[in-house]
Amino acid sequence: RPFVILKAATSIDGRMAGAPGSRTRLTSAAANRHVQYLRARVDAIAVGSGTILVDDPLLTARDVYRERPLMRVVFDRRLRTPPHARLFSTLSAGPVIILTTRDAAAAKAPERLALERAGADVIALDETGLRQALRALSALDVQCVLLEGGAAIHAAAWNEGVVDYVQLYVTPLALGVTGVPLFSGRPWSLSSLIDPRVEVLGPDTVIEGYVHRPH
């Protein structure tokens, strides 16, 4: 499978959004520029369909040079991605891959056709889970993928043990107990990262490191 970098932005109290299903801007301009350079170095950006529905992101590497097209991947086992999503307006930046299940592709044939007409490559998998999906990306010559969210995908990736590197952008803002916790509140510690690195980006701090020893 590809090397997986989990990238997340959280408040100082470990929350990713103010409430479930809400779009919450957390990071500063300096941190956002840092993310663009990271996007320029990976083979693919991946998000869950929930991120597409809530944030409607472009998923492009902006204001930085990139040698080759950037693959955009949506994990969408229920085939919920709308064909009018903004990432389809940027197909010149790279292909859009929708990874779903065979059951969903069969049950939602009109939705699949609409996505393909919008420009997506829809790949139906026999198995559920991120490991199978990541193996499918390897077959597309993806060696490194940036997993940008949302909370459910991050939690699933952490639970399945497929995260190799964490890059966490921490802002000084506190969102409180109603906010959406990183990894759905599952216990983990920044101190567990291997070869950790800390950098201040304006008001924000990026903390990064390996989850296990690189080979």
Side-chain angles (χ1 to χ4, degrees):
R1 63 170 177 81
F3 184 85
V4 175
I5 302 171
L6 186 148
K7 189 224 83 177
T10 74
S11 59
I12 193 68
D13 53 349
R15 310 287 166 167
M16 299 181 65
S22 69
R23 184 177 185 181
T24 306
R25 293 188 181 275
L26 291 173
T27 48
S28 64
N32 292 339
R33 283 194 299 272
H34 194 268
V35 170
Q36 298 306 318
Y37 282 103
L38 178 59
R39 286 180 172 185
R41 296 197 299 268
V42 299
D43 298 317
I45 302 174
V47 298
S49 58
T51 295
I52 299 296
L53 294 172
V54 174
D55 294 340
D56 197 16
L58 292 172
L59 300 181
T60 55
R62 297 182 290 280
D63 302 321
V64 294
Y65 173 73
R66 181 178 170 83
E67 274 187 48
R68 62 194 188 283
L70 175 62
M71 184 179 295
R72 282 77 56 75
V73 179
V74 183
F75 298 115
D76 190 359
R77 59 187 176 87
R78 288 178 283 174
L79 219 53
R80 300 188 299 164
T81 302
H84 54 76
R86 290 202 304 159
L87 81 168
F88 293 118
S89 69
T90 62
L91 291 173
S92 60
V96 174
I97 309 295
I98 309 291
L99 295 176
T100 190
T101 64
R102 291 201 183 279
D103 288 345
K108 294 188 172 182
E111 288 86 347
R112 175 176 184 169
L113 180 59
L115 288 170
E116 290 173 338
R117 286 175 174 168
D121 292 321
V122 180
I123 299 177
L125 305 174
D126 291 322
E127 301 176 30
T128 60
L130 287 179
R131 285 188 178 275
Q132 171 74 0
L134 289 168
R135 285 197 293 269
L137 293 182
S138 287
L140 299 176
D141 201 28
V142 173
Q143 298 181 37
C144 181
V145 59
L146 180 62
L147 190 61
E148 291 209 354
I153 288 293
H154 282 160
W158 190 258
N159 288 343
E160 291 188 36
V162 297
V163 178
D164 301 299
Y165 195 85
V166 169
Q167 192 162 50
L168 188 64
Y169 295 81
V170 182
T171 74
L173 174 70
L175 293 177
V177 295
T178 59
V180 179
L182 180 66
F183 300 146
S184 298
R186 290 166 177 81
W188 85 291
S189 172
L190 288 172
S191 64
S192 67
L193 295 180
I194 298 168
D195 297 331
R197 179 173 173 268
V198 178
E199 182 180 355
V200 176
L201 299 169
D204 305 323
T205 303
V206 59
I207 304 168
E208 56 188 317
Y210 291 93
V211 176
H212 43 253
R213 292 283 176 189
H215 299 290

